[in-house]
Structure formats: structure tokens, C-alpha cells
Amino acid sequence: MYARKKGVTERLNVEDDMRAANQTRERTEVQPGREESMGKTFRGHILLVEDDASLARLEVGFLTAQGYVVTLVENGELALNVLREIVPDLVLLDLDLPGAVNGWGVLKALRADAGTSATPVLLTSAEATAQKHLRTCGEARSTLDHLPKPYPIQTLLKRIDRMLDMTP
């Protein structure tokens, strides 16, 4: 990859690309303050882990319109990478993910890390095993809950709001 700078062409490496991407991310993370001046209130940062592209687009659009900052990833490996960089206010986690790390693997890693062990997680899945896990895991519903698919988008918002309101 090459970049032009005042008539000079220089070679950019992957590190330069990542530095530029991080600077862009830092600039966009400042946006909630600007949105507040336009009438929107920053309500929290959600990590959305969803492999269904159409559902993810719907959820991102809706949650962003409600004042949330949403980071979207489509598999467990990417979710773990993001969680090494940020601690969201809530993780919206599909259990049925492609790849080597499914939703249960992401949840296990979240709970094993001291920085994210108390982060609220809303599991989404059609799996009946999620409900069973919730009954036997001993976690409070303020930090771990399940929303069976399919669900109305308003129900998703109510569940997220409840979990964030209950989190210390």
C-alpha cells in the first residue's frame, strides 16, 4: 500500500494501517459528546457479537438510534480480540457463532478475566440449553440473561436497559 504526501510517495506497512485505524477509532469514540449536544444522550457501549448480518444491521441501527455506541463483530475470535482492547458496558452475545470459539467460549473467557468478569452479558439464541445454563450457573440476572430468538426489537431494548440499570 502506498500513500502520497506532498508529492512524495511512501510505502505504508500493516503497522501504519493499524495506527491509522486506531486513530480513526479514537476520533469516533469522542462522538457521544457531540451527539449529546444534538439532543442524543450516550447510554452505554455495547459489544454486539452476531453472525447473522441482517439481524446485526437491524440491531446496530436500532441501538445506535437509542443512544448506544455499538461495536459489532461476527465471530468469537474477533469478540475476544475486541475484549482485550475495551471493556463494554454490556455484551450482546449470540451463542451460535461460526469458527473455533462459539458464544459459550466467549462467555467463559469473559468470566475468567478479572476486567470483564462482572460485565453484563445478554445471550441470544434459539438453544434451550441457554435457559438451562441460566438456572444452574448461579449468576444474577443483572449480569447474565437470555433472550430467545426470534424476539421483538423493543424486547431487546427493554432487556438491555434493565440489565444496565441493575448493574452497579
mmCIF file of all heavy atoms in Angstrom, residues 12-29:
data_model
loop_
_atom_site.group_PDB
_atom_site.id
_atom_site.type_symbol
_atom_site.label_atom_id
_atom_site.label_comp_id
_atom_site.label_asym_id
_atom_site.label_seq_id
_atom_site.Cartn_x
_atom_site.Cartn_y
_atom_site.Cartn_z
ATOM 1 N N LEU A 12 3.503 2.297 3.044
ATOM 2 C CA LEU A 12 2.903 2.093 4.353
ATOM 3 C C LEU A 12 2.914 0.607 4.676
ATOM 4 O O LEU A 12 2.653 -0.216 3.808
ATOM 5 C CB LEU A 12 1.452 2.592 4.379
ATOM 6 C CG LEU A 12 1.246 4.080 4.120
ATOM 7 C CD1 LEU A 12 -0.237 4.386 4.114
ATOM 8 C CD2 LEU A 12 1.942 4.913 5.161
ATOM 9 N N ASN A 13 3.170 0.265 5.897
ATOM 10 C CA ASN A 13 3.119 -1.138 6.283
ATOM 11 C C ASN A 13 1.859 -1.397 7.106
ATOM 12 O O ASN A 13 1.075 -0.487 7.376
ATOM 13 C CB ASN A 13 4.392 -1.552 7.036
ATOM 14 C CG ASN A 13 4.604 -0.750 8.311
ATOM 15 O OD1 ASN A 13 3.649 -0.273 8.911
ATOM 16 N ND2 ASN A 13 5.845 -0.592 8.717
ATOM 17 N N VAL A 14 1.682 -2.629 7.527
ATOM 18 C CA VAL A 14 0.475 -3.004 8.272
ATOM 19 C C VAL A 14 0.390 -2.224 9.577
ATOM 20 O O VAL A 14 -0.688 -1.818 9.994
ATOM 21 C CB VAL A 14 0.467 -4.527 8.533
ATOM 22 C CG1 VAL A 14 -0.664 -4.918 9.440
ATOM 23 C CG2 VAL A 14 0.389 -5.271 7.220
ATOM 24 N N GLU A 15 1.541 -1.977 10.225
ATOM 25 C CA GLU A 15 1.539 -1.224 11.466
ATOM 26 C C GLU A 15 0.990 0.186 11.248
ATOM 27 O O GLU A 15 0.232 0.689 12.059
ATOM 28 C CB GLU A 15 2.954 -1.170 12.036
ATOM 29 C CG GLU A 15 3.006 -0.545 13.421
ATOM 30 C CD GLU A 15 4.406 -0.611 13.990
ATOM 31 O OE1 GLU A 15 5.070 -1.647 13.875
ATOM 32 O OE2 GLU A 15 4.828 0.404 14.551
ATOM 33 N N ASP A 16 1.371 0.809 10.128
ATOM 34 C CA ASP A 16 0.833 2.125 9.805
ATOM 35 C C ASP A 16 -0.681 2.068 9.618
ATOM 36 O O ASP A 16 -1.406 2.947 10.064
ATOM 37 C CB ASP A 16 1.472 2.685 8.531
ATOM 38 C CG ASP A 16 2.943 3.022 8.716
ATOM 39 O OD1 ASP A 16 3.338 3.335 9.851
ATOM 40 O OD2 ASP A 16 3.673 2.959 7.721
ATOM 41 N N ASP A 17 -1.153 1.022 8.933
ATOM 42 C CA ASP A 17 -2.590 0.855 8.728
ATOM 43 C C ASP A 17 -3.314 0.728 10.061
ATOM 44 O O ASP A 17 -4.354 1.319 10.281
ATOM 45 C CB ASP A 17 -2.885 -0.381 7.873
ATOM 46 C CG ASP A 17 -2.437 -0.214 6.442
ATOM 47 O OD1 ASP A 17 -2.193 0.930 6.020
ATOM 48 O OD2 ASP A 17 -2.328 -1.246 5.744
ATOM 49 N N MET A 18 -2.746 -0.075 10.986
ATOM 50 C CA MET A 18 -3.380 -0.278 12.286
ATOM 51 C C MET A 18 -3.355 1.017 13.102
ATOM 52 O O MET A 18 -4.314 1.352 13.765
ATOM 53 C CB MET A 18 -2.673 -1.400 13.061
ATOM 54 C CG MET A 18 -2.886 -2.773 12.455
ATOM 55 S SD MET A 18 -4.629 -3.196 12.266
ATOM 56 C CE MET A 18 -5.103 -3.310 13.969
ATOM 57 N N ARG A 19 -2.250 1.756 13.029
ATOM 58 C CA ARG A 19 -2.157 3.020 13.750
ATOM 59 C C ARG A 19 -3.226 3.978 13.242
ATOM 60 O O ARG A 19 -3.920 4.627 14.021
ATOM 61 C CB ARG A 19 -0.762 3.614 13.578
ATOM 62 C CG ARG A 19 -0.527 4.821 14.471
ATOM 63 C CD ARG A 19 0.903 5.352 14.402
ATOM 64 N NE ARG A 19 1.865 4.353 14.830
ATOM 65 C CZ ARG A 19 2.799 3.821 14.022
ATOM 66 N NH1 ARG A 19 2.903 4.232 12.781
ATOM 67 N NH2 ARG A 19 3.642 2.926 14.465
ATOM 68 N N ALA A 20 -3.396 4.039 11.931
ATOM 69 C CA ALA A 20 -4.416 4.919 11.346
ATOM 70 C C ALA A 20 -5.816 4.478 11.763
ATOM 71 O O ALA A 20 -6.667 5.305 12.088
ATOM 72 C CB ALA A 20 -4.296 4.937 9.826
ATOM 73 N N ALA A 21 -6.035 3.170 11.767
ATOM 74 C CA ALA A 21 -7.347 2.651 12.172
ATOM 75 C C ALA A 21 -7.622 2.988 13.635
ATOM 76 O O ALA A 21 -8.732 3.380 13.991
ATOM 77 C CB ALA A 21 -7.419 1.147 11.957
ATOM 78 N N ASN A 22 -6.613 2.849 14.496
ATOM 79 C CA ASN A 22 -6.797 3.172 15.908
ATOM 80 C C ASN A 22 -7.061 4.655 16.110
ATOM 81 O O ASN A 22 -7.886 5.047 16.938
ATOM 82 C CB ASN A 22 -5.577 2.739 16.727
ATOM 83 C CG ASN A 22 -5.517 1.238 16.884
ATOM 84 O OD1 ASN A 22 -6.535 0.567 16.812
ATOM 85 N ND2 ASN A 22 -4.329 0.717 17.105
ATOM 86 N N GLN A 23 -6.365 5.507 15.345
ATOM 87 C CA GLN A 23 -6.610 6.941 15.453
ATOM 88 C C GLN A 23 -8.016 7.285 15.005
ATOM 89 O O GLN A 23 -8.687 8.111 15.612
ATOM 90 C CB GLN A 23 -5.577 7.714 14.633
ATOM 91 C CG GLN A 23 -4.194 7.676 15.242
ATOM 92 C CD GLN A 23 -3.136 8.232 14.311
ATOM 93 O OE1 GLN A 23 -3.370 8.439 13.131
ATOM 94 N NE2 GLN A 23 -1.944 8.462 14.853
ATOM 95 N N THR A 24 -8.482 6.610 13.955
ATOM 96 C CA THR A 24 -9.847 6.823 13.489
ATOM 97 C C THR A 24 -10.839 6.398 14.556
ATOM 98 O O THR A 24 -11.804 7.097 14.849
ATOM 99 C CB THR A 24 -10.104 6.039 12.186
ATOM 100 O OG1 THR A 24 -9.185 6.500 11.203
ATOM 101 C CG2 THR A 24 -11.532 6.231 11.701
ATOM 102 N N ARG A 25 -10.585 5.222 15.178
ATOM 103 C CA ARG A 25 -11.476 4.735 16.224
ATOM 104 C C ARG A 25 -11.503 5.710 17.392
ATOM 105 O O ARG A 25 -12.553 6.020 17.934
ATOM 106 C CB ARG A 25 -11.053 3.362 16.714
ATOM 107 C CG ARG A 25 -12.060 2.840 17.723
ATOM 108 C CD ARG A 25 -11.707 1.661 18.520
ATOM 109 N NE ARG A 25 -11.087 0.569 17.877
ATOM 110 C CZ ARG A 25 -10.443 -0.380 18.552
ATOM 111 N NH1 ARG A 25 -10.347 -0.326 19.841
ATOM 112 N NH2 ARG A 25 -9.883 -1.386 17.931
ATOM 113 N N GLU A 26 -10.319 6.235 17.790
ATOM 114 C CA GLU A 26 -10.267 7.189 18.893
ATOM 115 C C GLU A 26 -11.069 8.439 18.573
ATOM 116 O O GLU A 26 -11.768 8.970 19.422
ATOM 117 C CB GLU A 26 -8.819 7.558 19.201
ATOM 118 C CG GLU A 26 -8.058 6.433 19.864
ATOM 119 C CD GLU A 26 -6.563 6.670 19.900
ATOM 120 O OE1 GLU A 26 -6.113 7.776 19.505
ATOM 121 O OE2 GLU A 26 -5.849 5.752 20.310
ATOM 122 N N ARG A 27 -10.991 8.905 17.320
ATOM 123 C CA ARG A 27 -11.769 10.088 16.936
ATOM 124 C C ARG A 27 -13.260 9.787 16.972
ATOM 125 O O ARG A 27 -14.041 10.620 17.393
ATOM 126 C CB ARG A 27 -11.362 10.564 15.539
ATOM 127 C CG ARG A 27 -10.063 11.337 15.533
ATOM 128 C CD ARG A 27 -9.881 12.066 14.217
ATOM 129 N NE ARG A 27 -9.921 11.212 13.058
ATOM 130 C CZ ARG A 27 -8.871 10.593 12.524
ATOM 131 N NH1 ARG A 27 -7.688 10.722 13.067
ATOM 132 N NH2 ARG A 27 -9.007 9.849 11.452
ATOM 133 N N THR A 28 -13.673 8.606 16.541
ATOM 134 C CA THR A 28 -15.104 8.299 16.519
ATOM 135 C C THR A 28 -15.634 8.024 17.912
ATOM 136 O O THR A 28 -16.807 8.217 18.166
ATOM 137 C CB THR A 28 -15.418 7.094 15.610
ATOM 138 O OG1 THR A 28 -14.707 5.960 16.078
ATOM 139 C CG2 THR A 28 -15.077 7.389 14.177
ATOM 140 N N GLU A 29 -14.766 7.584 18.841
ATOM 141 C CA GLU A 29 -15.239 7.342 20.198
ATOM 142 C C GLU A 29 -15.555 8.638 20.933
ATOM 143 O O GLU A 29 -16.201 8.639 21.954
ATOM 144 C CB GLU A 29 -14.217 6.507 20.974
ATOM 145 C CG GLU A 29 -14.215 5.060 20.510
ATOM 146 C CD GLU A 29 -13.155 4.217 21.182
ATOM 147 O OE1 GLU A 29 -12.338 4.759 21.954
ATOM 148 O OE2 GLU A 29 -13.147 3.014 20.930
#
